[in-house]
Amino acid sequence: MDYKDGISSEQNEIENELLMKYIKGISSDEENTRMALWLKKNPDNERILLQTAYIYNAQHMQSRILSRDPESAFKKIQKRIRRKHRHIYIQRSLAMAGCLVLLISIGINGSFLFQKKAETQQYITMQTNAGMRTDFTLPDGTKVYLNSATKLTYPVSFAAKERKVKLEGEAYFKVNRETERPFIVDLKDYPLSVEVLGTEFNIQAYAADLFVKTTLVSGSIRLGIETEPGTVKCLILNPSQRAVYGIETSILEVADVHTIYDTAWIQGRLMFKDTPVPEVLNRLSHFYNVGFQVQDPLINKYTFTGTFENRQLSQILDYLSVASRIKYEIIRPAADDSESLKRTNVILTKK
C-alpha cells in the first residue's frame, strides 16, 4: 500500500501533492503559506498532517535505515508546528513508528498510538484492537492487561506524589506497591476514580456500557465517586468484592464474588456460573467484538453456566442455544470495513 492511501479524505481542501511536499520539506514559501492557512482553518487539519507524516515515516522504515531523510522531514514538521506555538499532540519519534510496524508484523495486538506533550510531561497511549488483548509493564513495574478495544494513557515517568493513568475500556492491574505514591486510575467521562497502593484488580468501563465494574482480587481499593461537583464520596473495597456503579442511576452496588469469573479473560478464557444472560452477552460482546439484538425479553431472564477457552463465537452460541433454548442468527457486515469498523451482529430469539 502506498502511504498516500492512508491519507484521510478530510483534506480535500489541500492537494495530496502539496501535503507530501510539505512533509518532505521541499515546499516553496508560497506553498508554506497555503499550508499555514490550511492548518489554522481547522484544528483537525493538524491531526491530518501529523497522521500523514506518521504513515509516511512508518512505511519508509526500511529506507530510513539507509537514509535519514524521512526522519529529518518529520523533525522539520515538529519544529514548524512548535514555532507557531500550536498545542498539538505529536506522534512518537520515528523509532516508535518502527516499533509499531514491528509489533504488527509479529502479531502483537497492542499498539503504541502516540506520545503527546503537555507542558513538560509526556504521555504514552496503549490501545488494543477490537477483539484483541495484550499486556505490558508500566514505568513503575505495574503489570497491565488490556481487553478488547481498550485504551490506557500513562506518563513516560510518574509524578513524585502519585501514579495516575487514564482508562477507557477494560483492564486488569497488578500494581507494584509503593507506599509513598498511590496508583490512581482515572476513568474517562465517568465520575469515578480508583486509588490503590499495591493490589490486583479488574476494571470494566466501556463507553457503550451503562455501568462501571471494579473487581478486587487482592489488596484494597478506595473508590472515589463524585456525587456532585466538588463533592467526592469514598468507599473501601475488600478482596473478592465487586463494585458496580450505574451510570444512569448513580447507584453503587457492592457484592462478594468469585473473582475468577471477572478476570479469566486475561488468560483468554470465558467463565460463567449462573450468570444472567445480559451479563453473558456483554462479556461476549467485548471479547469477540460483536453486537447482540435480543428479540424476546424473556431471554434476558435466563442464566448461563459454562467455561470456554480458545473457542470460536459460533461454538459458544451453539452451547448457549442448547443450554438455554435460544436460536441465533449471525449477521456479518456486508460492506467493506476498511474505512470504518463495522461489527458483526447476532440476533437472538427464543425457541
Side-chain angles (χ1 to χ4, degrees), residues 74-279:
F74 191 70
K75 289 181 177 178
K76 286 180 180 178
I77 292 173
Q78 290 179 317
K79 290 180 180 179
R80 291 181 192 181
I81 295 176
R82 290 195 188 102
R83 283 200 300 267
K84 296 178 184 298
H85 302 288
R86 298 179 182 276
H87 300 291
I88 303 175
Y89 291 7
I90 307 297
Q91 301 277 6
R92 289 198 84 180
S93 63
L94 277 177
M96 181 54 69
C99 282
L100 177 61
V101 175
L102 177 61
L103 288 173
I104 292 174
S105 68
I106 63 178
I108 295 179
N109 301 320
S111 9
F112 286 98
L113 291 189
F114 63 85
Q115 180 174 339
K116 60 186 181 180
K117 188 170 184 179
E119 298 179 350
T120 59
Q121 181 61 283
Q122 291 180 314
Y123 292 83
I124 296 173
T125 290
M126 286 290 291
Q127 179 170 335
T128 50
N129 296 327
M132 303 297 179
R133 284 157 292 283
T134 192
D135 61 87
F136 57 99
T137 302
L138 295 177
D140 68 328
T142 293
K143 185 75 171 181
V144 183
Y145 299 81
L146 299 187
N147 203 351
S148 167
T150 295
K151 182 187 295 185
L152 185 80
T153 301
Y154 60 94
V156 173
S157 60
F158 287 113
K161 295 184 178 180
E162 66 180 19
R163 297 168 288 166
K164 178 179 278 190
V165 300
K166 291 187 177 182
L167 174 68
E168 301 173 52
E170 182 170 20
Y172 183 86
F173 297 89
K174 292 183 178 181
V175 178
N176 188 36
R177 184 174 182 82
E178 292 187 24
T179 56
E180 301 300 323
R181 288 198 303 174
F183 188 91
I184 300 173
V185 181
D186 185 19
L187 303 178
K188 179 178 171 60
D189 299 329
Y190 294 122
L192 192 72
S193 65
V194 178
E195 181 177 334
V196 301
L197 291 177
T199 184
E200 295 188 24
F201 62 100
N202 191 85
I203 301 181
Q204 181 178 339
Y206 286 100
D209 291 343
L210 298 178
F211 62 86
V212 175
K213 183 193 302 182
T214 304
T215 305
L216 179 60
V217 175
S218 65
S220 65
I221 282 179
R222 182 170 69 180
L223 297 177
I225 304 169
E226 187 176 14
T227 55
E228 57 184 63
T231 303
V232 178
K233 179 181 178 181
C234 293
L235 172 71
I236 301 298
L237 205 61
N238 297 316
S240 298
Q241 285 188 327
R242 174 206 290 163
V244 180
Y245 178 77
I247 303 303
E248 295 182 336
T249 64
S250 298
I251 294 176
L252 180 68
E253 298 180 346
V254 178
D256 295 327
V257 296
H258 294 290
T259 60
I260 185 63
Y261 295 102
D262 289 346
T263 62
W265 64 265
I266 66 177
Q267 282 90 34
R269 295 198 303 267
L270 289 169
M271 299 179 65
F272 308 104
K273 183 175 176 59
D274 297 326
T275 307
V277 163
E279 187 175 335

Side-chain angles (χ1 to χ4, degrees), residues 14-62:
I14 204 79
E15 298 88 355
N16 289 348
E17 180 179 357
L18 174 54
L19 194 62
M20 295 312 304
K21 288 175 67 177
Y22 188 80
I23 290 173
K24 295 176 182 178
I26 59 175
S27 51
S28 64
D29 291 341
E30 180 181 352
E31 291 170 332
N32 289 339
T33 300
R34 286 185 58 197
M35 284 295 301
L37 293 174
W38 181 71
L39 289 169
K40 185 177 181 180
K41 184 176 182 181
N42 189 337
D44 285 342
N45 292 341
E46 297 172 340
R47 173 180 56 81
I48 293 170
L49 172 62
L50 289 172
Q51 289 178 341
T52 305
Y54 184 81
I55 293 170
Y56 170 75
N57 285 290
Q59 296 192 355
H60 284 71
M61 181 180 61
Q62 184 175 0

